[in-house]
Amino acid sequence: MSLRLYMLQRITALLMAPLVLGHLAVMIYAIQGGLSAEEILGRTQGSIAWFLFYGLFVVAVAIHGAIGLRTISQEWGGLRGPLLDVFMWVIGSGLFLLGARAVWAVTFA
């Protein structure tokens, strides 16, 4: 793994740590408050703050996960060269698109 990818994965981990804690706090609050899915969506619809929070989360997870799976596929799967890079980009793009679709649906749809 290059130094750039190594540092990018560490930076995304630093971003994800408080975002995971924030997400867990929100989920615990919602469960203890007995909120229904409809009530939760009512609170998140049109909220730029929730869009930015979970949008940043999705970007960080997509980058972090793609780099991690790249390393695993190189060490265990023996992928090398351009195929390894294509694999990383496909995984990262897929994670981003799935997450972005969910964030968009919860905040704007």
Side-chain angles (χ1 to χ4, degrees), residues 1 3-4 6 17-19 25-26 28 34 36 43-45 52 54 57 62 65 69-70 77 98 108-109:
M1 179 186 314
L3 179 61
R4 179 185 297 169
Y6 177 84
L19 295 172
V26 168
I28 290 169
S36 68
R43 293 179 181 196
T44 61
Q45 292 288 318
L52 293 174
Y54 281 108
F57 202 171
L69 289 173
R70 180 188 189 275
L98 288 170
F108 295 115

Side-chain angles (χ1 to χ4, degrees), residues 4 8 10 17 22-23 25 28 34 46 55 65 75 78 80 84 94 98 101 105 109:
R4 179 185 297 169
L8 191 55
R10 295 319 179 258
H23 173 72
I28 290 169
E75 290 177 4
R80 300 273 188 256
L84 183 61
L98 288 170
R101 182 176 176 215

